Amino acid sequence: MSDHQTETHSPAPMPADPADSVRAEVQREYATKLVQAELRAQAAQAGIKLGEGFTDYLDASKLLGEDGTPSAEAIAKALEPLKPAEPEFPQIKGMGYYPGPPFRSTPRVSLDVRKR
């Protein structure tokens, strides 16, 4: 018996699907553009006006999730300081019905002759 027959040849490992590697590369390439688009969309929904070229100065990698897609939580956290403050209106009484004592500046004088 020859040792040649007892050797086992394992087949070469099959490479992963080539489409997966292409998808991953495309996702990495367009991840920053997708983050910028998501950032602009969330800012518009929150009523925030971003300056021209504002998204160019951001590090988009900080706004990506673990899976490489834009993280809504991270984007919301980045936009939090830019949200406009709610206007504070003073509590004043304007026109309308307010129950209470009638407003009298001077005492009334009866015009009835019998009560004078």
Side-chain angles (χ1 to χ4, degrees):
M1 296 201 126
S2 162
D3 288 352
H4 209 21
Q5 292 175 347
T6 58
E7 288 183 30
T8 57
H9 293 289
S10 61
M14 292 295 293
D17 187 17
D20 290 340
S21 63
V22 171
R23 277 190 205 108
E25 185 175 332
V26 168
Q27 186 176 10
R28 280 191 304 271
E29 184 177 336
Y30 286 99
T32 58
K33 292 180 182 181
L34 187 58
V35 164
Q36 290 175 354
E38 286 289 327
L39 183 75
R40 282 190 228 112
Q42 282 193 18
Q45 286 178 346
I48 300 171
K49 293 191 180 207
L50 298 176
E52 185 69 30
F54 176 78
T55 55
D56 297 337
Y57 295 109
L58 292 177
D59 184 11
S61 66
K62 303 277 185 190
L63 301 175
L64 291 173
E66 303 226 356
D67 58 350
T69 59
S71 171
E73 294 84 21
I75 292 173
K77 188 176 178 183
L79 291 176
E80 186 66 34
L82 303 175
K83 285 188 179 179
E86 292 291 324
E88 293 184 24
F89 296 109
Q91 297 298 322
I92 59 173
K93 287 189 174 184
M95 294 184 63
Y97 176 73
Y98 296 99
F103 183 70
R104 293 184 184 169
S105 60
T106 59
R108 288 184 154 188
V109 177
S110 175
L111 298 177
D112 191 2
V113 179
R114 294 173 286 176
K115 295 185 181 179
R116 284 191 190 175

